[in-house]
Amino acid sequence: MPQEPEIDIRKFVEYSMNPNHPDNQGNWMAFATLGYDVQAIENQCEKARRSA
């Protein structure tokens, strides 16, 4: 059976999806453009786990 991918939610919450993080260089805007909701990151991580 294939191994489940592990997603570190902190990378999304604390960095990639955080518009206030000084070093993310607008990463959150790219995710928002793709339809990810920065307010509902936990739901998005679960969605990513299911599609991986």
Side-chain angles (χ1 to χ4, degrees):
M1 178 174 287
Q3 184 177 358
E4 294 275 329
E6 296 208 15
I7 299 171
D8 184 352
I9 194 168
R10 292 174 304 151
K11 288 183 180 181
F12 285 98
V13 174
E14 297 173 9
Y15 178 74
S16 297
M17 298 292 286
N18 183 354
N20 298 314
H21 193 286
D23 297 325
N24 83 3
Q25 301 176 358
N27 288 335
W28 70 274
M29 289 187 287
F31 282 106
T33 299
L34 293 171
Y36 287 88
D37 182 355
V38 296
Q39 302 302 316
I41 187 59
E42 290 181 8
N43 291 337
Q44 296 301 327
C45 284
E46 181 59 31
K47 181 180 174 182
R49 279 189 206 100
R50 284 182 293 200
S51 67

